Amino acid sequence: MTTVEWSEAVEAPRNPDDHLVLDVRNLRMRYGTVDVLNGIDLTAQRGEVIALLGPNGAGKTTTIEILEGFRLPSAGLVRVLGVDPARGDERWRAQIGVVLQSWRDHGRWRVRDLLSHIGEYYAPYATDQIQRPWPVDDLLAAVGLTAHANARVSRLSGGQRRRLDVAVGIVGRPGLLFLDEPTVGLDPAARREFHELVHRLADLDHTTILLSTHDLAEAEKLADLIIILANGRIIAQGSPDQLSRRLTTDAEIRWTCDGQRHVHATMDATGFLRDLLREHGDRVQELEVRRANLEDAYLALVHEEETGIRTGRAERVWQQQEENR
Amino acid sequence: MNPKTTALRAGLRRGGIELRSTFTNGQDLWNYFFPTVVLLVAVFFMRGATVPGTDFSLGARTLPSALGMGLLFGGLLGLAQHLVVDREDGTLLRAKAIPNGMLGYLVGKLVLVSSVSMIGLAIQLTPGMFFLDGLRLGDPSAWLTLAWAVPLGLVATLPLGAMLGSLIENPRNMGLVVLPVMGLIAVSGIFYPISGLPGWLQGAAQVFPLYWLGLGMRSALLPADLAAVEIGGSWRHLEMVAVLGAWAVLGLVLAPVLMRRMARRESGSRVAARREQAMQRVG
């Protein structure tokens, strides 16, 4: 019903592109009267690593769960491997890997038993190009759990357990892998190992990966494309490089003039300085030009989301770059 | 191979693995053996008393009835408990993320729960043979009756367990099911014949499967002449098949609907929310 309501207001999504691994147009999600997702557009090519970055409550998990087929969207066009996830059959499911945040499930199983058990389900979906499942010993080696192959799952440390979660997610050699906040609760060493694993998957197997995180550094490290979500909207996207390059246009200039402090934010720092010095000359003292970096802008955004106080600064920053594109 | 067949086989193996691990786990073994010991002690002290109107040992009558009760506990409460716990900890969500994983999960669970029920039955019956007189364990016809009555009991109770397990989201609400079952035990002639109860209560008890499960086990294990003290003076196998069959049909029609609904609603954020809740209970 909501679909009908919206389809009047919003232009109908274009036709899906079958060559894309992910093709999302104008995705919307509404709980009651609250819009959780406000028109997300997103596409992914084979082998791409995409990070959904945003503060808690931005809509990352909802987006991923819709793409996984675990949740129905209110409106919009969603194609995952060319199929609407709401109608995805078991063959479709076999090509998707979902890395869940485990807690205490299968605690009594031994690591090797669990992986070979789950692998069995994928055997009928092997193709000439892709051997399924991933042989357990190779998989254990790939995720660094060989030494713990016979350990009970409940005995694993947090980091080892997360690696097992990844192993379960990739045992069927998925073409597309979803990771929802994969490094929450990991210590720095485990986090680093996890990052290496993600790189290996993307590089060696050309697995398309969609991951969510609220850690900018992690997104920068892992992703080809970062999509920044806030309030259910995409406020910025681009490669880590593009994002930071775009942001360097915004600078904060501080100086004192006749003992009085001034602060000015501008996109054209050089032009502003030229005018400033021409006008006031030697009276300008303690001049300081500071370029806002990606982290500043992102932190401003997180701060707004978490305090609920919207100064609009964060969104202004992102919007400026959008215009600059 | 056909993916469904593969999942079915994987499910059978899954049941086997979980069965092995439950019988090597101290906590689980305690849960299986402790009630057995309590039951056997109770039956031991009842062995001198007699079934009213006969000189047959009340203890020897109670043991088969309690085996019927065990089927209800195992099939209904056992499966429901597994479903509720597996939903809370994310086992079910994992199954959902695997192709045909739900099928494999369910097959595995049925293998596990029915095996545990039958093993439990053997654990309770074996020691009883040594101090109870009158159980006709040497009679092939007793085993023949068990061979159809036990599976029928499981087919009647397992789908009900699946339904309850699908409906209950919070493990703490399992108590809501256990309490009525306790009441049902009191009126279903497990520990004492119900011929002394008011007629309407007898009638009500006979609507539910528990009475018939107890009767079925008694009909298998007790001498034929004890049928005389049952309602209607007979083992009433036809009525038993009819009532248990009706429950089985009801369960087999409704359970898949409820289970599908439950499975559809599972997602990572729901599991995370339950984890959050459980952490608060602990902390």
Side-chain angles (χ1 to χ4, degrees), chain B residues 258-274:
Chain B
L258 290 174
M259 289 188 79
R260 249 182 241 127
R261 169 174 161 274
M262 165 197 75
R264 206 172 36 235
R265 291 160 58 163
E266 280 311 293
S267 69
S269 47
R270 278 181 90 98
V271 173
R274 282 188 218 115

Side-chain angles (χ1 to χ4, degrees), chain A residues 25-183:
Chain A
R25 317 264 174 94
N26 197 20
L27 174 62
R28 286 163 181 272
M29 186 71 178
R30 170 180 279 183
Y31 294 121
T33 56
V34 183
D35 288 326
V36 185
L37 295 178
N38 268 311
I40 302 287
D41 294 292
L42 157 71
T43 54
Q45 314 275 349
R46 183 162 173 265
E48 239 181 329
V49 179
I50 300 181
L52 289 179
L53 176 67
N56 293 328
K60 304 185 299 284
T61 297
T62 306
T63 305
I64 289 192
E65 289 187 348
I66 290 169
L67 300 184
E68 288 168 344
F70 290 171
R71 210 175 261 264
L72 291 180
S74 303
L77 180 143
V78 182
R79 290 289 178 275
V80 175
L81 298 169
V83 173
D84 176 0
R87 296 170 203 283
D89 59 4
E90 303 299 323
R91 174 166 296 279
W92 174 81
R93 175 65 63 203
Q95 296 169 58
I96 306 244
V98 176
V99 174
L100 297 164
Q101 285 207 32
S102 73
W103 169 24
R104 59 184 184 201
D105 64 283
H106 293 96
R108 289 186 190 167
W109 284 63
R110 294 185 191 279
V111 170
R112 180 196 300 279
D113 289 347
L114 182 60
L115 290 178
S116 52
H117 169 70
I118 292 178
E120 284 179 50
Y121 294 85
Y122 292 92
Y125 299 102
T127 63
D128 294 338
Q129 294 89 39
I130 308 164
Q131 185 200 353
R132 291 190 168 109
W134 195 319
V136 174
D137 287 321
D138 298 353
L139 179 58
L140 285 168
V143 299
L145 281 176
T146 306
H148 306 279
N150 292 314
R152 295 215 186 259
V153 172
S154 58
R155 303 261 176 225
L156 298 180
S157 71
Q160 291 162 354
R161 184 129 201 183
R162 196 55 48 80
R163 287 190 229 171
L164 176 63
D165 291 338
V166 175
V168 169
I170 61 178
V171 65
R173 284 188 181 271
L176 170 63
L177 184 64
F178 293 107
L179 301 135
D180 192 9
E181 308 228 336
T183 55

Side-chain angles (χ1 to χ4, degrees), chain A residues 283-299:
Chain A
R283 287 153 61 209
V284 176
Q285 301 281 319
E286 296 175 50
L287 182 63
E288 204 181 310
V289 180
R290 192 168 158 273
R291 302 219 172 270
N293 62 21
L294 193 51
E295 197 174 4
D296 289 334
Y298 180 62
L299 287 178

Side-chain angles (χ1 to χ4, degrees), chain B residues 214-226:
Chain B
L215 183 69
M217 295 298 108
R218 288 198 293 279
S219 78
L221 294 167
L222 299 183
D225 44 344
L226 265 158

